[in-house]
Amino acid sequence: MKIVMLGAPGAGKGTQAEMIAEKYGIPHISTGDIFRANIKNGTELGKKAKSYMDAGNLVPDELTVDLVIDRVAQPDCEKGYILDGFPRTIPQAEVFTEQLAKNNEKIDFAIDVEVPDENIIGRMGGRRACLNCGATYHIQYIPPKKEGICDVCGSELVLRNDDKPETVKNRLNVYHEATQPLIDFYKAQGALREVDGTQDMKDVFAAIVKILED
Ligand code: AP5
Ligand code: MG
């Protein structure tokens, strides 16, 4: 089962992808998490990606596509995977689709988590992220057991650099311009499914499971 999560920044892609990955035993691949881990570890890739991410702009396609193609070729992806934050531009989606087609493969489900822009800004200010393992919390909706500490790995939780209100606005603009066209791209492939992302996260999850199991 190969799944792509679509949706605006803060729509809940990462939250849902994590739960789906756990339920179906497939890896959750988040390009944002991969870039943040590289920034934290001071790698060359991290140095290149940082300025784009901090401004809320997209990292160039050439730094992104090969990374994902290599990742999905790993043995743990044999039964499928869930992509979160990739593809994010039409060129990324085209190259990735061609790469899959070489092995007679395709994306089975592209799940668009729909949340209006008005709801997004409030969610982002309350988000806390673990830069070590990628877990995500919300100070109000999904608080960690111990304030400021990741339940999963015990690392310190932080407010992401790109979660400041001005940057969130730019990310939303970038989303509408560069990423939203992917909805039609996957609709044309017959893979698009839509869920209402304004519901409680458990209800969003139930809606996604229903789509995957119907
Ligand atoms: P990335 O890390 O992918 O960020 P994003 O797409 O902006 O998405 P977010 O992680 O902000 O939101 P999400 O949808 O995962 O929401 P979450 O589950 O956390 O990318 C960051 C940057 O990396 C990009 O800006 C770009 O620079 C670069 N990048 C990454 N991939 C790239 C690519 N392919 N090409 C080029 N550049 C790339 O939820 C948000 C908050 O809401 C959380 O606090 C959560 O707890 C809470 N929440 C979740 N669900 C609910 C709910 N139902 N009700 C209430 N609260 C909820
Ligand atoms: Mg995310």
Side-chain angles (χ1 to χ4, degrees):
M1 184 157 55
K2 298 184 184 61
I3 305 170
V4 164
M5 297 301 289
L6 297 175
K13 301 181 296 294
T15 303
Q16 296 300 328
E18 197 54 53
M19 294 194 278
I20 297 163
E22 195 183 330
K23 180 169 168 77
Y24 296 101
I26 52 176
H28 166 204
I29 302 170
S30 158
T31 40
D33 287 351
I34 294 171
F35 289 136
R36 281 185 288 277
N38 275 275
I39 292 173
K40 183 167 177 269
N41 295 326
T43 69
E44 276 311 306
L45 176 65
K47 283 179 197 151
K48 288 182 187 154
K50 187 175 188 317
S51 59
Y52 298 100
M53 291 179 71
D54 284 352
N57 293 323
L58 294 181
V59 175
D61 290 344
E62 55 272 25
L63 294 181
T64 309
V65 177
D66 290 347
L67 179 91
V68 178
I69 289 174
D70 287 347
R71 179 64 188 85
V72 300
Q74 301 301 311
D76 65 332
C77 290
E78 247 163 45
K79 285 197 312 188
Y81 45 81
I82 178 155
L83 294 175
D84 160 17
F86 179 93
R88 227 186 183 93
T89 62
I90 293 284
Q92 289 182 11
E94 285 173 347
V95 176
F96 193 65
T97 302
E98 279 164 29
Q99 179 67 26
L100 288 177
K102 285 183 195 160
N103 303 321
N104 275 326
E105 293 174 354
K106 63 174 177 49
I107 292 300
D108 302 299
F109 298 100
I111 298 176
D112 180 30
V113 183
E114 297 179 307
V115 178
D117 289 7
E118 305 83 83
N119 301 35
I120 301 277
I121 307 224
R123 279 194 190 182
M124 302 300 232
R127 172 163 59 185
R128 295 295 177 272
C130 175
L131 298 185
N132 185 49
C133 76
T136 296
Y137 303 85
H138 190 284
I139 49 177
Q140 188 182 347
Y141 308 123
I142 314 164
K145 292 195 183 85
K146 191 167 174 229
E147 198 185 320
I149 301 294
C150 179
D151 292 350
V152 181
C153 72
S155 301
E156 194 188 343
L157 299 176
V158 297
L159 177 71
R160 274 170 42 180
N161 271 350
D162 57 350
D163 278 350
K164 298 184 207 97
E166 325 79 83
T167 315
V168 171
K169 280 186 200 137
N170 185 43
R171 286 164 64 196
L172 283 168
N173 290 339
V174 170
Y175 166 75
H176 291 301
E177 206 167 293
T179 308
Q180 209 167 20
L182 292 177
I183 292 176
D184 284 337
F185 182 92
Y186 283 109
K187 195 184 268 177
Q189 291 192 6
L192 184 75
R193 304 288 187 280
E194 287 162 316
V195 296
D196 173 2
T198 64
Q199 310 169 84
D200 187 272
M201 54 180 271
K202 288 191 213 69
D203 297 327
V204 180
F205 183 58
I208 295 174
V209 169
K210 188 164 183 297
I211 288 167
L212 301 179
E213 297 187 355
D214 252 2

